[in-house]
Amino acid sequence: MKLDTAGLRVLTREECLHLFTLTPVGRIVFTDRALPSVQPVNFLLNGEDIVIRTSTGSKLAAATRNAVVAFEADEIDVTTRTGWSVTAVGHARAVTDPAEIELLSALPLVRWLPGDQDHFIVVRAEQVSGRRIV
Amino acid sequence: MKLDTAGLRVLTREECLHLFTLTPVGRIVFTDRALPSVQPVNFLLNGEDIVIRTSTGSKLAAATRNAVVAFEADEIDVTTRTGWSVTAVGHARAVTDPAEIELLSALPLVRWLPGDQDHFIVVRAEQVSGRRIV
């Protein structure tokens, strides 16, 4: 078992990718007008891609276009001092190919916000890291 | 009631600051070696400062020194489609004044990780924004 300097268990890539399948909400981290920005989103892991559904005109859609972003998910219980956190870093891209949009539309990715969410952002999980409190 | 383009309720600064007092875990967003980075941390709102406790030699301590960072907290229930998210953006600083360290050490900020956490980072909530799903 590998521990980091803070005494947290370092997770393998496989463990991290598995944990991404256990929660429907994560946070996408990007730069918006030169400032760090973070937004919670509903997502689905599709292979090694983080798939996010948003509206075409959203700030998120504009700011993440061809940018390198981070995507984080966690489950932490401070009372029992247990939990984990996983982060993927990679290029984000807007999906524009109609065939790919049709494929992604068929995923069980719930539209949970009131407005149209007909725009897909895909983040390739190029670097993955994670920690578990032990 | 003000809604954004995604149909979410826009929260006031006062509402956002109040929500920061309702959860003990948030996520600090910073840049680490030119890449976006995000890390969940235990925190406490002290006035309009986000106070974080970490270890002196941590990556977090090094990367946030005098940087502009974002700090996010949320509570989202996808099943009921309810929840909120709040973000503060501001300068982070390492606390070095012994008198201030003594004051911050007296805060009810639980040390929940195994290692030493004798280093304080303070993020000034200069810009605050938040949304609630309605």
Side-chain angles (χ1 to χ4, degrees):
Chain A
M1 191 171 77
K2 192 180 160 194
L3 298 180
D4 72 4
T5 52
L8 300 174
R9 211 189 113 209
V10 178
L11 302 175
T12 65
R13 179 176 179 89
E14 287 64 38
E15 287 171 316
C16 292
L17 290 174
H18 172 66
L19 290 168
F20 273 125
T21 69
L22 300 187
T23 176
V25 175
R27 294 147 204 98
I28 186 161
V29 170
F30 54 102
T31 302
D32 183 37
R33 285 164 291 178
L35 287 177
S37 193
V38 48
Q39 190 175 313
V41 288
N42 186 26
F43 79 103
L44 197 81
L45 186 74
N46 184 37
E48 300 202 343
D49 285 344
I50 307 281
V51 182
I52 298 160
R53 201 163 186 160
T54 183
S55 56
T56 313
S58 64
K59 188 181 84 167
L60 185 63
T64 59
R65 207 154 279 155
N66 302 316
V68 173
V69 305
F71 188 83
E72 189 262 359
D74 61 50
E75 272 183 19
I76 290 163
D77 185 330
V78 171
T79 318
T80 59
R81 298 189 189 189
T82 55
W84 52 264
S85 164
V86 286
T87 302
V89 175
H91 287 80
R93 66 182 173 87
V95 180
T96 53
D97 172 31
E100 189 179 6
I101 290 173
E102 198 178 327
L103 276 174
L104 296 180
S105 298
L107 292 175
L109 181 56
V110 183
R111 281 184 280 187
W112 60 312
L113 291 183
D116 281 336
Q117 292 189 277
D118 48 9
H119 181 74
F120 288 96
I121 297 169
V122 170
V123 179
R124 189 104 196 117
E126 289 157 27
Q127 289 182 26
V128 173
S129 60
R131 299 288 185 274
R132 184 185 281 282
I133 308 170
V134 284
Chain B
M1 191 170 79
K2 191 179 161 195
L3 299 180
D4 71 4
T5 52
L8 299 175
R9 211 188 113 211
V10 178
L11 303 174
T12 65
R13 179 176 179 89
E14 287 64 37
E15 287 171 316
C16 293
L17 290 174
H18 173 66
L19 289 168
F20 273 125
T21 69
L22 300 188
T23 176
V25 175
R27 293 147 205 98
I28 186 162
V29 169
F30 54 101
T31 301
D32 183 37
R33 285 164 292 178
L35 287 177
S37 193
V38 48
Q39 189 175 314
V41 288
N42 186 28
F43 80 103
L44 196 82
L45 187 74
N46 184 38
E48 300 202 344
D49 284 344
I50 307 280
V51 181
I52 298 160
R53 199 163 188 159
T54 183
S55 55
T56 312
S58 65
K59 189 181 82 167
L60 185 63
T64 59
R65 208 154 280 155
N66 303 315
V68 173
V69 305
F71 188 83
E72 190 261 0
D74 60 51
E75 273 184 18
I76 290 163
D77 185 330
V78 171
T79 317
T80 59
R81 298 187 189 189
T82 55
W84 52 264
S85 164
V86 286
T87 301
V89 176
H91 287 80
R93 65 181 174 88
V95 180
T96 52
D97 173 30
E100 190 180 5
I101 290 173
E102 198 178 328
L103 275 175
L104 296 180
S105 300
L107 292 175
L109 180 56
V110 183
R111 281 183 281 187
W112 59 313
L113 291 183
D116 279 338
Q117 291 189 277
D118 48 9
H119 181 73
F120 288 97
I121 298 169
V122 170
V123 180
R124 189 103 194 120
E126 289 156 27
Q127 289 182 27
V128 173
S129 60
R131 299 288 186 273
R132 184 185 282 281
I133 307 170
V134 282

